Amino acid sequence: MQNPPRALIDVSALRHNLARVREIAPGARVMAVLKANAYGHGLETAAAALADADGLAVARIEEALALRAAGSRNRILLLQGASSAAQLAMAARDGFDVMVHSLEQLVMLEQRPPGAMLRTWIKLDTGMNRLGFRVEEFAGALARLVRIDGVAPDPTIVTHLASADEVADPKTQQQLDSFEAATRALPGERSIANSAAILAWPASRRDWVRPGLMLYGASPCPRGSGTDIGLRPVMTFQAEVIAVKTVEAGETVGYGGAWRAGRRTSMAVISVGYGDGYPRSAGPGTPVLVDGQRAPLIGRVSMDMVTADVTGLPGVRVGAPVELWGGMLPIEDIARCADRIPYELICGVTPRVPRIIS
Ligand SMILES: *Cc1c(COP(=O)(O)O)cnc(C)c1O
């Protein structure tokens, strides 16, 4: 029997990681970031496990509507705000908080017909240079926003950091200084920190923190793993051995004959590939755990299969469980082997992989 790969989702780890965020940032409220299907973990599952968060944040209105449809009664923030009058009306109807990051969005709010009171967050661009009002425009934009009928008083002031994962990079301190200078005299709560900032930049923790990756148990830092900082991995990506065979010295394995056996090699074929979201860039030597024992990949990652060298591993048989990343094999290590970041790996697990709640 051939078992497809599956992603085990440990909901107690999600709750643990939320508690860990509160431990690290005790004074702050937590806006848990659930965009992109909760970083690949399943929006509904994550929303249910994280219902104790002070709010849930998503990138797009479709994600927010899906949360409401799944029964979430949390405060929900649209990180990119509304992109049309129709979206704004939906946001007001469903009580979503909206980000206001551009002049277009400000004008849309000014032109909104009378409706339900909207809670807004306003974004200041302190150097990410993606979304947000520039420092010199900011006070004017905020003044316009608070004058609008139907906008709740005291919008939360937000910025996003570009390099918080690099503690030696002066960019973060510059952004924090620029935020302080531009907002010192203004009312409203503040929100700056993503996961990396929560961990590395205490001054960024303020009224609201916005953790994403760390809730899922992975570390945003270039070195180390989530477990080093008291997090528990939420996703364990598993597959199975579907064939065991021997290749002779000199024979090649897989597409392009890209890997050649230097010696007689016992090999396991494993039921996962890039069609499941296992990164094709994971080169030979990337570890997998076969029956709990580390084995290096050989050959190229195919759509539905990978191959690993199990020479010297006793008792590897068809049906043996394989862990690709998770509880026993840090995703950060796999990301490094594949020249990816953990974010891409968890977000990239494809829809054909069942998420199994455990
Ligand atoms: C995605 C996102 C976050 C969360 O970032 P992590 O690095 O996953 O913690 C926070 N704030 C904004 C605006 C985001 O887009």
Side-chain angles (χ1 to χ4, degrees), residues 33 35 39 79 99 123 130 158-160 192-196 198 210-214 216 220 343:
V33 180
K35 62 198 180 191
Y39 290 44
L79 288 167
M99 188 74 76
K123 194 164 206 176
R130 220 172 45 176
V158 181
T159 199
H160 196 48
I192 302 177
N194 60 0
S195 296
I198 291 167
R210 306 188 307 270
L213 190 69
M214 69 185 290
Y216 307 100
Y343 297 81

Side-chain angles (χ1 to χ4, degrees), residues 156-277:
T156 303
I157 302 179
V158 181
T159 199
H160 196 48
L161 300 173
S163 307
D165 55 331
E166 284 293 350
V167 285
D169 192 324
K171 174 96 182 173
T172 301
Q173 194 55 53
Q174 286 161 11
Q175 285 195 260
L176 295 175
D177 292 346
S178 159
F179 184 88
E180 237 3 80
T183 63
R184 191 173 291 127
L186 303 172
E189 294 182 328
R190 310 287 199 255
S191 176
I192 302 177
N194 60 0
S195 296
I198 291 167
L199 293 164
W201 297 90
S204 73
R205 288 172 198 153
R206 310 303 295 265
D207 301 298
W208 287 88
V209 292
R210 306 188 307 270
L213 190 69
M214 69 185 290
L215 291 174
Y216 307 100
S219 166
C221 307
R223 285 158 292 277
S225 70
T227 46
D228 302 339
I229 45 180
L231 302 172
R232 280 171 48 196
V234 176
M235 180 191 291
T236 294
F237 194 18
Q238 292 182 332
E240 259 185 33
V241 173
I242 54 172
V244 180
K245 52 181 52 182
T246 302
V247 291
E248 300 299 334
E251 290 186 316
T252 65
V253 172
Y255 283 116
W259 186 87
R260 187 180 297 275
R263 53 161 165 71
R264 196 161 199 265
T265 300
S266 174
M267 178 188 109
V269 183
I270 297 161
S271 63
V272 72
Y274 61 79
D276 304 298

Side-chain angles (χ1 to χ4, degrees), residues 3-352:
N3 276 318
R6 54 208 166 263
L8 304 184
I9 306 300
D10 179 351
V11 292
S12 72
L14 273 169
R15 284 193 284 266
H16 167 89
N17 296 334
L18 174 59
R20 183 78 187 113
V21 170
R22 292 201 191 279
E23 212 169 73
I24 297 173
R29 273 174 288 160
V30 179
M31 182 56 76
V33 180
L34 268 65
K35 62 198 180 191
N37 195 28
Y39 290 44
H41 293 69
L43 189 67
E44 286 189 35
T45 308
L50 299 172
D52 280 348
D54 303 286
L56 309 177
V58 291
R60 310 208 175 124
I61 195 158
E62 290 76 12
E63 300 173 315
L65 294 169
L67 279 173
R68 279 281 183 267
S72 171
R73 288 209 284 271
N74 283 84
R75 199 165 156 182
I76 297 175
L77 168 64
L78 304 179
L79 288 167
Q80 297 180 0
S83 62
S84 66
Q87 285 194 2
L88 204 51
M90 273 191 272
R93 183 198 62 202
D94 280 16
F96 302 148
D97 288 33
V98 295
M99 188 74 76
V100 180
H101 64 72
S102 69
L103 195 58
E104 289 83 353
Q105 289 181 328
L106 200 50
V107 170
M108 234 157 52
L109 276 165
E110 287 170 340
Q111 296 175 350
R112 182 170 77 107
M117 189 68 106
L118 262 173
R119 261 191 303 233
T120 60
W121 299 49
I122 182 168
K123 194 164 206 176
L124 168 64
D125 183 0
T126 53
M128 178 69 145
N129 285 323
R130 220 172 45 176
L131 299 182
F133 295 96
R134 298 181 64 86
V135 165
E136 61 276 13
E137 311 166 319
F138 187 74
L142 179 61
R144 259 174 88 169
L145 180 60
V146 299
R147 276 199 304 269
I148 299 172
D149 270 346
V151 165
D154 292 337
T156 303
I157 302 179
V158 181
T159 199
H160 196 48
L161 300 173
S163 307
D165 55 331
E166 284 293 350
V167 285
D169 192 324
K171 174 96 182 173
T172 301
Q173 194 55 53
Q174 286 161 11
Q175 285 195 260
L176 295 175
D177 292 346
S178 159
F179 184 88
E180 237 3 80
T183 63
R184 191 173 291 127
L186 303 172
E189 294 182 328
R190 310 287 199 255
S191 176
I192 302 177
N194 60 0
S195 296
I198 291 167
L199 293 164
W201 297 90
S204 73
R205 288 172 198 153
R206 310 303 295 265
D207 301 298
W208 287 88
V209 292
R210 306 188 307 270
L213 190 69
M214 69 185 290
L215 291 174
Y216 307 100
S219 166
C221 307
R223 285 158 292 277
S225 70
T227 46
D228 302 339
I229 45 180
L231 302 172
R232 280 171 48 196
V234 176
M235 180 191 291
T236 294
F237 194 18
Q238 292 182 332
E240 259 185 33
V241 173
I242 54 172
V244 180
K245 52 181 52 182
T246 302
V247 291
E248 300 299 334
E251 290 186 316
T252 65
V253 172
Y255 283 116
W259 186 87
R260 187 180 297 275
R263 53 161 165 71
R264 196 161 199 265
T265 300
S266 174
M267 178 188 109
V269 183
I270 297 161
S271 63
V272 72
Y274 61 79
D276 304 298
Y278 192 83
R280 187 171 175 279
S281 56
T286 303
V288 297
L289 284 185
V290 182
D291 249 344
Q293 313 172 90
R294 264 173 109 92
L297 290 191
I298 58 180
R300 285 189 187 152
V301 174
S302 329
M303 188 182 292
D304 312 304
M305 278 172 265
V306 297
T307 41
D309 182 347
V310 293
T311 311
L313 299 188
V316 171
R317 282 191 197 83
V318 169
V322 179
E323 180 171 321
L324 291 327
W325 64 65
M328 293 186 297
L329 191 58
I331 192 171
E332 295 85 352
D333 292 352
I334 307 307
R336 277 174 213 117
C337 288
D339 194 24
R340 293 287 180 270
I341 53 176
Y343 297 81
E344 283 181 280
L345 298 188
I346 49 182
C347 285
V349 174
T350 60
R352 83 170 175 181

